[in-house]
Amino acid sequence: MLVGVSAVVIGLCALGVSLYETSLMRSEQRAAVVPILELGRSYNSSATEPSRNRLSFIAQNVGIGPARVIDFRVTVDGEFYATWDAAVRRLADADGRIAYAMSTINGRTIPPDKTIEMFKLSDLEYLDAILEDFEHLDFEACYCSVFDECWTTKMTTFGASEPVESCARTAESFTE
């Protein structure tokens, strides 16, 4: 009888250790593919060399796993804008269209160590006006890992991401 009880106790201990090791392995797998998405700007404004002037907005995955961008939003003074054209015209206080180049970020998977230039200003006559009011602009991304763990980050948080339950597109979502 004692041998039988000992076998059951040893079996239960082995099962407990196995379950604990499995949970550790799953945590390691999740940690091995964590994306960290940073949003920012890159600009150069030179009065002596105007040909070197530039302004661009970037998204960079500095994590070790792919970042699936589910939702992206752009605001100026807290008001949502669906396109770069509308947001930049509001920021520069311009009536006409402003020339720019852009790359889509919504719905895109950004691999580790990859930088996406989301916006590049081509019409440099508005550069000073945009830079002058730049603190009114913000953009935010909601992104997930391959294990559907999700975070949001903003340009103004300098890469600090907040965990969220999930990401979804809304009426305020960016369309470009």
Side-chain angles (χ1 to χ4, degrees):
M1 181 74 149
L2 184 61
V3 171
V5 170
S6 297
V8 169
V9 169
I10 290 172
L12 288 174
C13 288
L15 178 62
V17 168
S18 175
L19 290 173
Y20 177 70
E21 285 182 359
T22 301
S23 74
L24 285 178
M25 287 174 48
R26 286 195 176 136
S27 295
E28 288 174 2
Q29 286 175 335
R30 279 198 232 38
V33 294
V34 171
I36 301 172
L37 193 63
E38 292 183 351
L39 304 174
R41 68 177 174 176
S42 174
Y43 72 94
N44 183 49
S45 180
S46 172
T48 58
E49 295 182 64
S51 63
R52 298 192 64 193
N53 290 350
R54 63 176 163 69
L55 173 67
S56 60
F57 306 142
I58 58 172
Q60 181 178 18
N61 184 357
V62 297
I64 54 177
R68 294 181 303 118
V69 180
I70 308 299
D71 190 34
F72 187 74
R73 299 173 188 195
V74 174
T75 60
V76 177
D77 289 328
E79 186 177 335
F80 292 98
Y81 288 87
T83 65
W84 287 119
D85 181 57
V88 172
R89 277 192 297 125
R90 164 65 175 79
L91 195 63
D93 197 24
D95 292 330
R97 190 164 173 84
I98 297 175
Y100 64 92
M102 53 82 58
S103 293
T104 300
I105 187 171
N106 255 339
R108 189 168 186 172
T109 299
I110 304 173
D113 294 326
K114 176 80 172 176
T115 300
I116 304 296
E117 190 174 51
M118 302 178 293
F119 171 89
K120 183 177 180 182
L121 183 66
S122 302
D123 202 343
L124 295 176
E125 79 177 76
Y126 294 101
L127 178 62
D128 291 333
I130 292 170
L131 291 176
E132 186 177 304
D133 287 336
F134 194 77
E135 71 273 0
H136 300 279
L137 175 72
D138 199 8
F139 34 96
E140 171 183 4
C142 191
Y143 64 99
C144 301
S145 73
V146 295
F147 288 110
D148 289 326
E149 295 174 317
C150 301
W151 301 267
T152 62
T153 187
K154 293 182 176 186
M155 182 195 63
T156 54
T157 61
F158 304 107
S161 298
E162 292 289 325
V164 294
E165 284 294 316
S166 64
C167 296
R169 293 185 52 82
T170 66
E172 290 97 19
S173 294
F174 202 63
T175 60
E176 287 186 325

